[in-house]
Short mmCIF file of all heavy atoms in Angstrom, two decimals:
data_model
loop_
_atom_site.label_atom_id
_atom_site.label_comp_id
_atom_site.label_asym_id
_atom_site.label_seq_id
_atom_site.Cartn_x
_atom_site.Cartn_y
_atom_site.Cartn_z
N MET A 1 0.81 -1.13 0.01
CA MET A 1 -0.01 0.08 0.00
C MET A 1 0.87 1.20 0.03
O MET A 1 1.67 1.43 0.91
CB MET A 1 -0.87 -0.02 1.18
CG MET A 1 -1.33 -1.33 1.52
SD MET A 1 -2.82 -1.75 2.20
CE MET A 1 -2.59 -3.42 1.84
N SER A 2 0.73 1.99 -0.95
CA SER A 2 1.67 3.03 -1.19
C SER A 2 1.72 4.11 -0.13
O SER A 2 2.71 4.31 0.53
CB SER A 2 1.45 3.71 -2.63
OG SER A 2 0.13 4.12 -2.66
N MET A 3 0.66 4.86 0.07
CA MET A 3 0.73 6.03 1.01
C MET A 3 0.50 5.53 2.46
O MET A 3 0.90 6.17 3.34
CB MET A 3 -0.33 7.07 0.63
CG MET A 3 -0.31 7.47 -0.80
SD MET A 3 0.91 8.71 -1.28
CE MET A 3 0.50 10.06 -0.19
N GLU A 4 -0.28 4.49 2.61
CA GLU A 4 -0.58 3.96 3.95
C GLU A 4 0.63 3.26 4.58
O GLU A 4 1.35 2.69 3.83
CB GLU A 4 -1.82 3.14 3.89
CG GLU A 4 -3.08 3.81 3.65
CD GLU A 4 -3.57 4.73 4.80
OE1 GLU A 4 -3.34 4.36 5.97
OE2 GLU A 4 -4.16 5.67 4.43
N ARG A 5 0.64 3.25 5.86
CA ARG A 5 1.62 2.48 6.53
C ARG A 5 1.33 1.03 6.27
O ARG A 5 0.21 0.61 6.35
CB ARG A 5 1.55 2.80 8.02
CG ARG A 5 2.76 2.58 8.77
CD ARG A 5 2.56 3.07 10.17
NE ARG A 5 2.47 1.84 11.01
CZ ARG A 5 1.92 1.83 12.22
NH1 ARG A 5 1.34 2.87 12.59
NH2 ARG A 5 1.81 0.65 12.76
N ARG A 6 2.41 0.33 5.98
CA ARG A 6 2.26 -1.19 5.81
C ARG A 6 2.27 -1.83 7.14
O ARG A 6 3.29 -1.78 7.86
CB ARG A 6 3.38 -1.66 4.95
CG ARG A 6 3.22 -1.28 3.47
CD ARG A 6 4.24 -1.96 2.58
NE ARG A 6 3.92 -1.57 1.23
CZ ARG A 6 4.14 -2.30 0.17
NH1 ARG A 6 4.70 -3.58 0.35
NH2 ARG A 6 3.82 -1.82 -0.97
N THR A 7 1.20 -2.54 7.47
CA THR A 7 1.15 -3.25 8.71
C THR A 7 0.73 -4.69 8.32
O THR A 7 0.30 -5.04 7.29
CB THR A 7 -0.01 -2.66 9.64
OG1 THR A 7 -1.23 -2.85 8.94
CG2 THR A 7 0.28 -1.26 9.90
N ARG A 8 0.95 -5.56 9.29
CA ARG A 8 0.60 -6.92 9.10
C ARG A 8 -0.90 -7.10 8.81
O ARG A 8 -1.25 -7.89 7.96
CB ARG A 8 0.92 -7.79 10.40
CG ARG A 8 2.41 -8.03 10.54
CD ARG A 8 2.74 -8.91 11.72
NE ARG A 8 1.91 -8.58 12.96
CZ ARG A 8 1.21 -9.56 13.56
NH1 ARG A 8 1.13 -10.77 13.16
NH2 ARG A 8 0.51 -9.18 14.65
N GLN A 9 -1.73 -6.24 9.53
CA GLN A 9 -3.13 -6.30 9.30
C GLN A 9 -3.50 -5.91 7.88
O GLN A 9 -4.26 -6.58 7.18
CB GLN A 9 -3.91 -5.36 10.29
CG GLN A 9 -3.78 -5.76 11.64
CD GLN A 9 -2.55 -5.24 12.33
OE1 GLN A 9 -1.66 -4.60 11.81
NE2 GLN A 9 -2.44 -5.56 13.62
N ARG A 10 -2.96 -4.86 7.35
CA ARG A 10 -3.32 -4.36 6.02
C ARG A 10 -2.76 -5.36 4.96
O ARG A 10 -3.41 -5.57 3.97
CB ARG A 10 -2.76 -2.97 5.76
CG ARG A 10 -3.48 -1.89 6.60
CD ARG A 10 -3.03 -0.58 6.27
NE ARG A 10 -3.58 0.46 7.13
CZ ARG A 10 -4.74 1.09 6.83
NH1 ARG A 10 -5.35 0.89 5.71
NH2 ARG A 10 -5.18 1.98 7.72
N GLU A 11 -1.55 -5.87 5.29
CA GLU A 11 -1.07 -6.88 4.26
C GLU A 11 -1.94 -8.15 4.23
O GLU A 11 -2.17 -8.65 3.11
CB GLU A 11 0.37 -7.24 4.62
CG GLU A 11 1.36 -6.16 4.34
CD GLU A 11 1.51 -5.81 2.84
OE1 GLU A 11 1.47 -6.74 2.02
OE2 GLU A 11 1.57 -4.67 2.47
N ALA A 12 -2.42 -8.51 5.41
CA ALA A 12 -3.27 -9.79 5.35
C ALA A 12 -4.58 -9.42 4.63
O ALA A 12 -5.11 -10.39 3.91
CB ALA A 12 -3.56 -10.14 6.87
N ILE A 13 -5.09 -8.20 4.82
CA ILE A 13 -6.37 -7.91 4.14
C ILE A 13 -6.11 -7.87 2.64
O ILE A 13 -6.92 -8.43 1.86
CB ILE A 13 -6.93 -6.53 4.63
CG1 ILE A 13 -7.30 -6.62 6.16
CG2 ILE A 13 -7.98 -5.93 3.76
CD1 ILE A 13 -7.47 -5.35 6.89
N TRP A 14 -5.05 -7.22 2.20
CA TRP A 14 -4.75 -7.15 0.74
C TRP A 14 -4.59 -8.54 0.21
O TRP A 14 -5.07 -8.90 -0.80
CB TRP A 14 -3.52 -6.28 0.51
CG TRP A 14 -3.02 -6.42 -0.80
CD1 TRP A 14 -1.71 -6.95 -1.09
CD2 TRP A 14 -3.63 -6.19 -2.12
NE1 TRP A 14 -1.55 -6.90 -2.50
CE2 TRP A 14 -2.65 -6.50 -3.16
CE3 TRP A 14 -4.87 -5.75 -2.44
CZ2 TRP A 14 -2.99 -6.34 -4.50
CZ3 TRP A 14 -5.19 -5.59 -3.83
CH2 TRP A 14 -4.19 -5.89 -4.76
N GLU A 15 -3.84 -9.36 0.89
CA GLU A 15 -3.50 -10.72 0.33
C GLU A 15 -4.81 -11.54 0.28
O GLU A 15 -4.97 -12.27 -0.68
CB GLU A 15 -2.49 -11.44 1.30
CG GLU A 15 -1.11 -10.79 1.15
CD GLU A 15 -0.12 -11.37 2.14
OE1 GLU A 15 -0.52 -12.32 2.91
OE2 GLU A 15 1.02 -10.85 2.16
N PHE A 16 -5.65 -11.45 1.19
CA PHE A 16 -6.98 -12.15 1.15
C PHE A 16 -7.81 -11.68 -0.04
O PHE A 16 -8.26 -12.57 -0.82
CB PHE A 16 -7.81 -11.93 2.44
CG PHE A 16 -9.10 -12.62 2.32
CD1 PHE A 16 -9.20 -14.06 2.57
CD2 PHE A 16 -10.24 -11.90 2.06
CE1 PHE A 16 -10.46 -14.70 2.35
CE2 PHE A 16 -11.49 -12.60 1.98
CZ PHE A 16 -11.56 -13.90 2.15
N ILE A 17 -7.91 -10.34 -0.28
CA ILE A 17 -8.78 -9.91 -1.42
C ILE A 17 -8.04 -10.29 -2.74
O ILE A 17 -8.74 -10.75 -3.60
CB ILE A 17 -8.76 -8.28 -1.26
CG1 ILE A 17 -9.63 -7.86 -0.11
CG2 ILE A 17 -9.34 -7.79 -2.63
CD1 ILE A 17 -9.55 -6.44 0.24
N ARG A 18 -6.77 -10.19 -2.82
CA ARG A 18 -6.00 -10.60 -4.02
C ARG A 18 -6.22 -12.07 -4.34
O ARG A 18 -6.48 -12.45 -5.44
CB ARG A 18 -4.53 -10.18 -3.88
CG ARG A 18 -3.72 -10.56 -5.14
CD ARG A 18 -2.31 -10.53 -4.81
NE ARG A 18 -1.92 -11.67 -3.87
CZ ARG A 18 -0.99 -11.52 -3.03
NH1 ARG A 18 -0.22 -10.48 -2.90
NH2 ARG A 18 -0.73 -12.56 -2.15
N ASP A 19 -6.05 -12.90 -3.31
CA ASP A 19 -6.08 -14.34 -3.47
C ASP A 19 -7.51 -14.85 -3.84
O ASP A 19 -7.66 -15.80 -4.54
CB ASP A 19 -5.58 -15.08 -2.28
CG ASP A 19 -4.03 -14.86 -2.15
OD1 ASP A 19 -3.46 -14.36 -3.05
OD2 ASP A 19 -3.56 -15.16 -0.99
N VAL A 20 -8.57 -14.23 -3.30
CA VAL A 20 -9.92 -14.60 -3.52
C VAL A 20 -10.35 -14.30 -4.94
O VAL A 20 -10.94 -15.13 -5.61
CB VAL A 20 -10.88 -13.95 -2.52
CG1 VAL A 20 -12.29 -14.17 -2.91
CG2 VAL A 20 -10.61 -14.60 -1.09
N ASN A 21 -9.90 -13.11 -5.39
CA ASN A 21 -10.11 -12.71 -6.82
C ASN A 21 -11.57 -12.78 -7.26
O ASN A 21 -11.87 -13.26 -8.37
CB ASN A 21 -9.17 -13.60 -7.78
CG ASN A 21 -9.12 -12.92 -9.09
OD1 ASN A 21 -9.16 -11.77 -9.30
ND2 ASN A 21 -8.96 -13.77 -10.15
N ARG A 22 -12.47 -12.28 -6.35
CA ARG A 22 -13.84 -12.16 -6.74
C ARG A 22 -14.40 -11.16 -5.71
O ARG A 22 -13.72 -10.87 -4.75
CB ARG A 22 -14.61 -13.45 -6.53
CG ARG A 22 -14.62 -14.02 -5.08
CD ARG A 22 -15.41 -15.29 -5.02
NE ARG A 22 -15.31 -16.02 -3.67
CZ ARG A 22 -15.81 -15.58 -2.58
NH1 ARG A 22 -16.56 -14.47 -2.55
NH2 ARG A 22 -15.55 -16.19 -1.46
N PRO A 23 -15.61 -10.54 -5.98
CA PRO A 23 -16.16 -9.53 -5.05
C PRO A 23 -16.39 -10.24 -3.74
O PRO A 23 -16.93 -11.24 -3.59
CB PRO A 23 -17.45 -9.24 -5.69
CG PRO A 23 -17.34 -9.47 -7.17
CD PRO A 23 -16.42 -10.76 -7.22
N VAL A 24 -15.92 -9.52 -2.71
CA VAL A 24 -16.12 -9.88 -1.29
C VAL A 24 -16.48 -8.72 -0.46
O VAL A 24 -16.06 -7.59 -0.71
CB VAL A 24 -14.88 -10.66 -0.73
CG1 VAL A 24 -14.67 -12.02 -1.23
CG2 VAL A 24 -13.65 -9.78 -0.85
N GLY A 25 -17.24 -9.01 0.58
CA GLY A 25 -17.68 -7.92 1.43
C GLY A 25 -16.82 -7.84 2.68
O GLY A 25 -16.03 -8.73 2.95
N PRO A 26 -16.91 -6.75 3.46
CA PRO A 26 -16.07 -6.53 4.64
C PRO A 26 -16.15 -7.67 5.64
O PRO A 26 -15.11 -8.08 6.21
CB PRO A 26 -16.62 -5.21 5.18
CG PRO A 26 -17.13 -4.50 4.01
CD PRO A 26 -17.73 -5.52 3.14
N PRO A 27 -17.38 -8.23 5.94
CA PRO A 27 -17.36 -9.40 6.91
C PRO A 27 -16.49 -10.60 6.44
O PRO A 27 -15.81 -11.20 7.25
CB PRO A 27 -18.79 -9.76 6.99
CG PRO A 27 -19.56 -8.53 6.63
CD PRO A 27 -18.74 -7.90 5.50
N GLU A 28 -16.52 -10.91 5.14
CA GLU A 28 -15.90 -12.07 4.51
C GLU A 28 -14.31 -11.75 4.65
O GLU A 28 -13.51 -12.63 4.88
CB GLU A 28 -16.32 -12.40 3.19
CG GLU A 28 -15.66 -13.66 2.61
CD GLU A 28 -16.19 -14.06 1.29
OE1 GLU A 28 -17.10 -13.44 0.74
OE2 GLU A 28 -15.61 -15.05 0.77
N ILE A 29 -14.00 -10.51 4.26
CA ILE A 29 -12.58 -10.11 4.27
C ILE A 29 -12.07 -10.19 5.71
O ILE A 29 -11.03 -10.70 5.98
CB ILE A 29 -12.35 -8.68 3.72
CG1 ILE A 29 -12.74 -8.62 2.28
CG2 ILE A 29 -11.03 -8.17 3.99
CD1 ILE A 29 -12.92 -7.22 1.71
N HIS A 30 -12.86 -9.61 6.74
CA HIS A 30 -12.46 -9.69 8.13
C HIS A 30 -12.19 -11.16 8.50
O HIS A 30 -11.18 -11.44 9.17
CB HIS A 30 -13.64 -9.10 8.88
CG HIS A 30 -13.35 -9.04 10.40
ND1 HIS A 30 -14.16 -9.68 11.25
CD2 HIS A 30 -12.33 -8.45 11.10
CE1 HIS A 30 -13.68 -9.49 12.45
NE2 HIS A 30 -12.62 -8.75 12.43
N GLU A 31 -13.12 -12.06 8.22
CA GLU A 31 -12.95 -13.46 8.58
C GLU A 31 -11.71 -14.09 7.98
O GLU A 31 -10.97 -14.80 8.55
CB GLU A 31 -14.22 -14.26 8.23
CG GLU A 31 -14.28 -15.65 8.67
CD GLU A 31 -15.57 -16.39 8.39
OE1 GLU A 31 -16.64 -15.73 8.45
OE2 GLU A 31 -15.49 -17.55 7.97
N GLY A 32 -11.60 -13.92 6.68
CA GLY A 32 -10.50 -14.50 5.92
C GLY A 32 -9.16 -13.96 6.35
O GLY A 32 -8.18 -14.74 6.47
N ALA A 33 -9.04 -12.66 6.57
CA ALA A 33 -7.77 -12.11 6.98
C ALA A 33 -7.36 -12.40 8.41
O ALA A 33 -6.23 -12.53 8.79
CB ALA A 33 -7.80 -10.52 6.80
N GLN A 34 -8.40 -12.68 9.23
CA GLN A 34 -8.09 -13.08 10.72
C GLN A 34 -7.32 -14.38 10.75
O GLN A 34 -6.72 -14.69 11.79
CB GLN A 34 -9.41 -13.21 11.47
CG GLN A 34 -9.83 -11.93 12.15
CD GLN A 34 -11.01 -12.15 12.97
OE1 GLN A 34 -11.91 -12.96 12.66
NE2 GLN A 34 -11.10 -11.36 14.05
N VAL A 35 -7.38 -15.17 9.66
CA VAL A 35 -6.69 -16.49 9.75
C VAL A 35 -5.18 -16.17 9.87
O VAL A 35 -4.44 -16.90 10.60
CB VAL A 35 -6.85 -17.23 8.42
CG1 VAL A 35 -5.96 -18.41 8.36
CG2 VAL A 35 -8.33 -17.65 8.34
N ASN A 36 -4.68 -15.07 9.36
CA ASN A 36 -3.29 -14.72 9.35
C ASN A 36 -2.90 -13.67 10.46
O ASN A 36 -1.73 -13.49 10.81
CB ASN A 36 -2.80 -14.20 8.02
CG ASN A 36 -2.88 -15.24 6.99
OD1 ASN A 36 -2.59 -16.44 7.18
ND2 ASN A 36 -3.40 -14.88 5.83
N VAL A 37 -3.94 -12.96 10.98
CA VAL A 37 -3.66 -11.90 11.92
C VAL A 37 -4.71 -11.97 13.10
O VAL A 37 -5.91 -11.80 12.83
CB VAL A 37 -3.75 -10.47 11.31
CG1 VAL A 37 -3.55 -9.39 12.26
CG2 VAL A 37 -2.77 -10.39 10.16
N ASP A 38 -4.19 -12.27 14.25
CA ASP A 38 -5.10 -12.31 15.44
C ASP A 38 -5.56 -10.87 15.82
O ASP A 38 -4.87 -9.90 15.53
CB ASP A 38 -4.38 -12.87 16.69
CG ASP A 38 -4.00 -14.32 16.47
OD1 ASP A 38 -4.67 -14.98 15.70
OD2 ASP A 38 -3.03 -14.80 17.12
N ARG A 39 -6.74 -10.86 16.33
CA ARG A 39 -7.29 -9.53 16.77
C ARG A 39 -7.45 -8.48 15.75
O ARG A 39 -7.10 -7.33 16.01
CB ARG A 39 -6.54 -9.01 18.09
CG ARG A 39 -6.60 -9.94 19.24
CD ARG A 39 -5.88 -9.44 20.43
NE ARG A 39 -4.47 -9.28 20.04
CZ ARG A 39 -3.59 -8.91 20.95
NH1 ARG A 39 -3.82 -8.74 22.23
NH2 ARG A 39 -2.32 -8.78 20.57
N LEU A 40 -7.78 -8.88 14.52
CA LEU A 40 -8.04 -7.88 13.58
C LEU A 40 -9.41 -7.27 13.69
O LEU A 40 -10.37 -8.04 13.75
CB LEU A 40 -7.99 -8.63 12.15
CG LEU A 40 -8.30 -7.72 10.89
CD1 LEU A 40 -7.20 -6.69 10.80
CD2 LEU A 40 -8.30 -8.66 9.66
N GLY A 41 -9.51 -6.02 13.77
CA GLY A 41 -10.77 -5.26 13.99
C GLY A 41 -11.49 -5.00 12.69
O GLY A 41 -10.85 -4.83 11.68
N ILE A 42 -12.75 -5.08 12.76
CA ILE A 42 -13.57 -4.74 11.56
C ILE A 42 -13.44 -3.36 11.06
O ILE A 42 -13.36 -3.06 9.90
CB ILE A 42 -15.11 -5.06 11.81
CG1 ILE A 42 -15.92 -5.02 10.48
CG2 ILE A 42 -15.74 -4.12 12.81
CD1 ILE A 42 -15.63 -6.12 9.55
N ALA A 43 -13.12 -2.43 12.01
CA ALA A 43 -12.88 -0.96 11.63
C ALA A 43 -11.56 -0.99 10.76
O ALA A 43 -11.52 -0.19 9.82
CB ALA A 43 -12.74 -0.09 12.85
N THR A 44 -10.54 -1.82 11.14
CA THR A 44 -9.35 -1.83 10.44
C THR A 44 -9.63 -2.31 8.94
O THR A 44 -9.00 -1.78 7.95
CB THR A 44 -8.34 -2.72 11.05
OG1 THR A 44 -8.05 -2.21 12.38
CG2 THR A 44 -7.03 -2.88 10.25
N VAL A 45 -10.50 -3.31 8.81
CA VAL A 45 -10.87 -3.83 7.52
C VAL A 45 -11.52 -2.76 6.66
O VAL A 45 -11.15 -2.45 5.54
CB VAL A 45 -11.82 -5.01 7.60
CG1 VAL A 45 -12.35 -5.40 6.27
CG2 VAL A 45 -11.11 -6.10 8.30
N TYR A 46 -12.49 -1.98 7.27
CA TYR A 46 -13.08 -0.82 6.52
C TYR A 46 -12.10 0.19 6.12
O TYR A 46 -12.16 0.72 4.98
CB TYR A 46 -14.19 -0.25 7.29
CG TYR A 46 -15.50 -1.08 7.24
CD1 TYR A 46 -15.89 -1.91 8.22
CD2 TYR A 46 -16.36 -0.88 6.16
CE1 TYR A 46 -17.08 -2.61 8.16
CE2 TYR A 46 -17.56 -1.58 6.07
CZ TYR A 46 -17.93 -2.46 7.02
OH TYR A 46 -19.07 -3.18 7.02
N ARG A 47 -11.19 0.63 7.01
CA ARG A 47 -10.17 1.56 6.63
C ARG A 47 -9.25 1.10 5.53
O ARG A 47 -8.91 1.82 4.66
CB ARG A 47 -9.33 1.98 7.85
CG ARG A 47 -9.99 2.88 8.81
CD ARG A 47 -9.05 3.38 9.86
NE ARG A 47 -8.42 2.37 10.72
CZ ARG A 47 -8.94 1.88 11.85
NH1 ARG A 47 -10.11 2.37 12.27
NH2 ARG A 47 -8.33 0.93 12.50
N ALA A 48 -8.85 -0.20 5.59
CA ALA A 48 -7.99 -0.73 4.51
C ALA A 48 -8.71 -0.81 3.22
O ALA A 48 -8.09 -0.47 2.18
CB ALA A 48 -7.57 -2.11 4.99
N ILE A 49 -9.94 -1.17 3.21
CA ILE A 49 -10.80 -1.14 2.00
C ILE A 49 -10.79 0.21 1.39
O ILE A 49 -10.54 0.46 0.16
CB ILE A 49 -12.20 -1.74 2.22
CG1 ILE A 49 -12.14 -3.14 2.54
CG2 ILE A 49 -13.10 -1.39 1.04
CD1 ILE A 49 -13.45 -3.77 3.07
N LYS A 50 -11.07 1.23 2.24
CA LYS A 50 -11.15 2.62 1.74
C LYS A 50 -9.84 3.00 1.12
O LYS A 50 -9.83 3.61 0.00
CB LYS A 50 -11.56 3.50 2.89
CG LYS A 50 -11.66 5.00 2.50
CD LYS A 50 -12.08 5.89 3.72
CE LYS A 50 -12.36 7.24 3.33
NZ LYS A 50 -11.33 8.19 3.60
N SER A 51 -8.74 2.70 1.74
CA SER A 51 -7.42 3.03 1.22
C SER A 51 -7.11 2.34 -0.02
O SER A 51 -6.62 2.93 -1.04
CB SER A 51 -6.31 2.70 2.20
OG SER A 51 -6.40 3.47 3.34
N LEU A 52 -7.47 1.02 -0.19
CA LEU A 52 -7.23 0.28 -1.34
C LEU A 52 -8.09 0.82 -2.52
O LEU A 52 -7.60 0.86 -3.69
CB LEU A 52 -7.60 -1.18 -1.12
CG LEU A 52 -6.56 -1.91 -0.25
CD1 LEU A 52 -7.12 -3.26 0.26
CD2 LEU A 52 -5.23 -2.15 -0.88
N VAL A 53 -9.28 1.27 -2.27
CA VAL A 53 -10.10 1.81 -3.33
C VAL A 53 -9.51 3.16 -3.80
O VAL A 53 -9.35 3.40 -5.01
CB VAL A 53 -11.57 2.13 -2.85
CG1 VAL A 53 -12.37 2.94 -3.79
CG2 VAL A 53 -12.28 0.75 -2.62
N GLU A 54 -9.09 4.03 -2.82
CA GLU A 54 -8.51 5.31 -3.17
C GLU A 54 -7.15 5.09 -3.92
O GLU A 54 -6.86 6.01 -4.79
CB GLU A 54 -8.20 6.14 -1.90
CG GLU A 54 -9.48 6.62 -1.26
CD GLU A 54 -9.24 7.27 0.16
OE1 GLU A 54 -8.14 7.24 0.62
OE2 GLU A 54 -10.21 7.77 0.69
N GLU A 55 -6.46 4.07 -3.67
CA GLU A 55 -5.19 3.84 -4.40
C GLU A 55 -5.45 3.15 -5.75
O GLU A 55 -4.51 3.03 -6.59
CB GLU A 55 -4.34 2.89 -3.57
CG GLU A 55 -3.81 3.57 -2.30
CD GLU A 55 -3.09 2.57 -1.31
OE1 GLU A 55 -2.82 1.33 -1.79
OE2 GLU A 55 -2.86 2.95 -0.22
N GLY A 56 -6.64 2.70 -5.97
CA GLY A 56 -6.97 2.16 -7.30
C GLY A 56 -6.60 0.67 -7.31
O GLY A 56 -6.54 0.00 -8.36
N ARG A 57 -6.23 0.03 -6.16
CA ARG A 57 -5.87 -1.35 -6.13
C ARG A 57 -7.05 -2.32 -6.14
O ARG A 57 -6.94 -3.40 -6.64
CB ARG A 57 -5.02 -1.59 -4.87
CG ARG A 57 -3.70 -0.91 -4.97
CD ARG A 57 -2.92 -1.12 -3.71
NE ARG A 57 -2.23 -2.44 -3.87
CZ ARG A 57 -1.43 -2.90 -2.85
NH1 ARG A 57 -1.25 -2.19 -1.72
NH2 ARG A 57 -0.87 -4.09 -2.96
N ILE A 58 -8.18 -1.75 -5.73
CA ILE A 58 -9.41 -2.53 -5.81
C ILE A 58 -10.56 -1.57 -6.29
O ILE A 58 -10.39 -0.34 -6.18
CB ILE A 58 -9.88 -3.22 -4.43
CG1 ILE A 58 -10.11 -2.15 -3.38
CG2 ILE A 58 -8.85 -4.22 -4.01
CD1 ILE A 58 -10.67 -2.76 -2.10
N VAL A 59 -11.63 -2.15 -6.76
CA VAL A 59 -12.78 -1.38 -7.22
C VAL A 59 -14.02 -1.75 -6.39
O VAL A 59 -14.30 -2.94 -6.22
CB VAL A 59 -13.04 -1.68 -8.72
CG1 VAL A 59 -14.23 -0.87 -9.17
CG2 VAL A 59 -11.82 -1.23 -9.58
N ALA A 60 -14.71 -0.73 -5.97
CA ALA A 60 -15.92 -1.05 -5.28
C ALA A 60 -17.04 -1.43 -6.23
O ALA A 60 -17.17 -0.90 -7.39
CB ALA A 60 -16.47 0.29 -4.50
N VAL A 61 -17.76 -2.47 -5.88
CA VAL A 61 -18.74 -3.07 -6.80
C VAL A 61 -20.12 -3.05 -6.08
O VAL A 61 -20.21 -3.51 -4.84
CB VAL A 61 -18.44 -4.56 -7.08
CG1 VAL A 61 -19.58 -5.21 -7.91
CG2 VAL A 61 -17.09 -4.63 -7.83
N SER A 62 -21.13 -2.48 -6.69
CA SER A 62 -22.41 -2.53 -6.12
C SER A 62 -23.18 -3.75 -6.60
O SER A 62 -23.27 -4.04 -7.79
CB SER A 62 -23.23 -1.26 -6.52
OG SER A 62 -22.58 -0.13 -6.02
N LEU A 63 -23.65 -4.52 -5.63
CA LEU A 63 -24.40 -5.75 -5.94
C LEU A 63 -25.90 -5.50 -5.69
O LEU A 63 -26.28 -4.92 -4.69
CB LEU A 63 -23.89 -6.95 -5.15
CG LEU A 63 -22.44 -7.34 -5.35
CD1 LEU A 63 -21.99 -8.44 -4.43
CD2 LEU A 63 -22.19 -7.73 -6.85
N PRO A 64 -26.73 -6.00 -6.54
CA PRO A 64 -28.16 -5.83 -6.36
C PRO A 64 -28.73 -6.47 -5.08
O PRO A 64 -28.19 -7.43 -4.62
CB PRO A 64 -28.78 -6.37 -7.59
CG PRO A 64 -27.84 -7.31 -8.24
CD PRO A 64 -26.50 -6.84 -7.71
#
């Protein structure tokens, strides 16, 4: 993550999203990234998602 501080939590979130390679929501990202990082907060997931969207690394998708 370019501008944001690289942390184990943010790296775990990015790796989960990258590896799944399909649209996923915050709860699923939270659950999947927790496998690699204990005590990962849902707020951290939302902040990481926001940063990744702003950086253009992921795209927000609206599902019906």
Side-chain angles (χ1 to χ4, degrees):
M1 319 212 169
S2 57
M3 307 279 304
E4 290 290 327
R5 207 173 103 203
R6 287 189 178 212
T7 63
R8 288 184 318 122
Q9 292 87 355
R10 289 184 188 269
E11 286 297 317
I13 292 165
W14 165 243
E15 289 171 7
F16 177 78
I17 293 170
R18 182 193 64 209
D19 293 347
V20 169
N21 197 30
R22 64 176 170 77
V24 289
E28 187 177 355
I29 295 168
H30 181 241
E31 184 178 322
Q34 270 186 325
V35 170
N36 296 317
V37 178
D38 293 335
R39 297 182 300 188
L40 176 64
I42 190 73
T44 301
V45 172
Y46 278 99
R47 283 192 300 272
I49 291 169
K50 182 176 186 257
S51 294
L52 289 167
V53 168
E54 289 171 355
E55 293 170 11
R57 294 178 80 182
I58 63 173
V59 177
V61 176
S62 297
L63 300 175

